[in-house]
Amino acid sequence: MTAITIRRPDDLHLHLRDGEAMRSVLPFTAARFARALVMPNLRPPVTATQQALAYRQRILDALPAGVAFEPLMTLYLTDRTEPAEVDRARASGCIVGFKLYPAGATTHSDAGVTDIRKVDAVLSRMEEQDLVLEVHGEVTDPQVDVFDREARFIEEVLTGLAARFPRLRIVFEHITTRAAVQFVLGSRPGIAATLTPQHLLMNRNALFAGGIRPHHYCLPVLKSEPDREALNAAAASGDPRFFLGTDSAPHARGAKETACGCAGMFCAHGAIELYAEAFEAAGALARLEAFASEHGADFYRLPRNEGRITLIKTPWEVPRSYPFGTEEIVPLRAGEHIGWRLAGTERG
Ligand code: NCD
Ligand code: ZN
């Protein structure tokens, strides 16, 4: 039997939601990851340091007894965010960045930024305070083809942004295209990207396999096979600018299986196992540890975790659903198999 033991990983892009829904999904992440960067797109959005600290405390209070897990927080940027918020965030010691959602780009992004120039003063203060900008990189113009929105964002927003703030550290979140990989590879120091298991393992055919598949719909939407290959090559290359961020984004079954379903896939129940599948398929299992447990921590200037997890190559059947507050969620691979299993966690 094949087994691998790696340093305990970090999930640097996670949606936990709040309340009972959060209580349902948090244990999956805490069992696998030592830390996670928790996205601020709640309703209302987490825009202020005090809100983030309160949310962080609710997450800590929801942890199963005896489980050590550290939520890392990021604030939701809006047109009205003040530079002084950057100072408060920095002083809190618990907030590592700000999240840029172009208004209307994705789930709960309506309070996002309508024009990047409106947040120039905030970005400048972030550069001074050395906080990280996490970017949802898609243009929102409805005229632009949905499959081209990430590439257009690079041309229209990200290239200029990276040049105007040459010391601002930027994470291009959940990249989905070859264009995004090439942008990161060709960019100045201080620019990195997260990769999700769903975009490493599936292309856009998965949206239509035998019929329309709402549980394979997320944003940015799955892309073509050449794009998927470029993402896998980036992950498998060992380049420290690419690291783990699951974008696990739970929505109740009813919100997905409907005439206008929400964007987001839930993968926290098997996230590191799914990455193991992808790295094995790429012939790069030996590089999983650096991708999952070193590159992200190093980029965020956090100490690498001390604990270890062990994965064994034994397929297991994913339940058709998990409880989600008073509702249920349909996880990635529901009723199907994941090829690796979490066998043990040593918290260190
Ligand atoms: C995310 C969500 O549901 O909050 N959805 C998604 O499709 N990934 C938001 C996001 O990260 O875009
Ligand atoms: Zn996300």
Side-chain angles (χ1 to χ4, degrees):
M1 182 173 53
T2 313
I4 55 166
T5 296
I6 62 170
R7 184 187 291 278
R8 219 165 150 224
D10 296 310
D11 180 355
L12 289 160
H13 184 123
L14 176 69
H15 299 272
L16 280 179
R17 315 308 187 200
D18 209 346
E20 285 303 310
M22 183 240 293
R23 287 178 188 276
S24 303
V25 296
L26 176 61
F28 293 110
T29 294
R32 291 164 175 77
F33 297 94
R35 296 175 292 215
L37 179 59
V38 182
M39 290 296 123
N41 61 333
L42 303 182
R43 280 195 189 282
V46 181
T47 55
T49 300
Q50 284 312 319
Q51 283 173 292
L53 295 180
Y55 182 32
R56 178 175 179 275
Q57 192 58 50
R58 293 197 295 281
I59 298 166
L60 292 173
D61 292 344
L63 281 171
V67 171
F69 171 78
E70 189 183 348
L72 306 168
M73 309 311 287
T74 177
L75 295 184
Y76 188 120
L77 262 183
T78 77
D79 287 353
R80 292 180 310 282
T81 303
E82 290 173 3
E85 198 61 55
V86 177
D87 304 337
R88 287 191 283 273
R90 166 53 89 194
S92 77
C94 300
I95 297 170
V96 300
F98 279 74
K99 176 70 189 263
L100 170 64
Y101 289 105
T106 187
T107 307
H108 301 171
S109 65
D110 32 295
V113 173
T114 59
D115 179 345
I116 190 69
R117 294 282 182 173
K118 293 195 173 169
V119 291
D120 271 4
V122 180
L123 297 175
S124 174
R125 188 70 62 90
M126 286 176 63
E127 192 176 37
E128 281 166 37
Q129 292 278 22
D130 202 22
L131 286 176
V132 174
L133 179 70
E134 294 101 16
V135 178
H136 183 109
E138 290 190 286
V139 295
T140 56
D141 179 352
Q143 304 294 326
V144 177
D145 190 289
V146 68
F147 293 101
D148 296 336
R149 288 181 190 178
E150 185 174 278
R152 285 286 283 274
F153 184 87
I154 297 169
E155 294 162 20
E156 292 179 12
V157 183
L158 194 51
T159 303
L161 176 66
R164 286 208 309 285
F165 302 95
R167 288 174 297 111
L168 181 62
R169 286 185 296 138
I170 301 173
V171 181
F172 194 175
E173 297 289 344
H174 42 51
I175 61 169
T176 63
T177 56
R178 193 211 307 253
V181 170
Q182 283 171 348
F183 170 79
V184 173
L185 291 176
S187 65
R188 62 160 172 81
I191 299 200
T194 51
L195 291 163
T196 79
Q198 44 277 16
H199 293 99
L200 291 174
L201 290 165
M202 292 186 282
N203 67 34
R204 61 199 182 190
N205 287 349
L207 282 161
F208 308 108
I212 192 148
R213 301 291 199 108
H215 298 291
H216 290 165
Y217 175 56
C218 64
L219 286 170
V221 72
L222 294 172
K223 297 298 191 306
S224 70
E225 180 60 12
D227 289 310
R228 191 188 74 86
E229 286 164 5
L231 303 179
N232 278 279
S237 71
D239 189 312
R241 291 172 289 185
F242 299 98
F243 52 83
L244 188 156
T246 63
D247 196 22
S248 180
H251 291 276
R253 177 198 285 275
K256 296 282 294 174
E257 298 177 6
T258 176
C260 188
C262 291
M265 290 188 217
F266 178 70
C267 63
H269 63 295
I272 191 68
E273 300 91 323
L274 289 161
Y275 283 109
E277 272 190 15
F279 274 73
E280 184 184 29
L285 211 45
R287 290 192 169 147
L288 175 64
E289 180 173 36
F291 172 83
S293 317
E294 297 173 4
H295 298 165
D298 296 353
F299 187 86
Y300 276 94
R301 301 189 182 139
L302 300 165
R304 294 177 182 177
N305 300 311
E306 286 304 325
R308 297 279 182 280
I309 60 167
T310 297
L311 303 171
I312 52 174
K313 195 178 167 186
T314 311
W316 56 286
E317 192 178 323
V318 177
R320 293 193 171 276
S321 68
Y322 289 110
F324 186 55
T326 56
E327 304 180 79
E328 59 179 25
I329 24 173
V330 177
L332 196 56
R333 297 269 175 90
E336 297 171 22
H337 290 83
I338 292 180
W340 289 78
R341 174 191 283 275
L342 179 70
T345 300
E346 180 207 305
R347 292 186 187 275

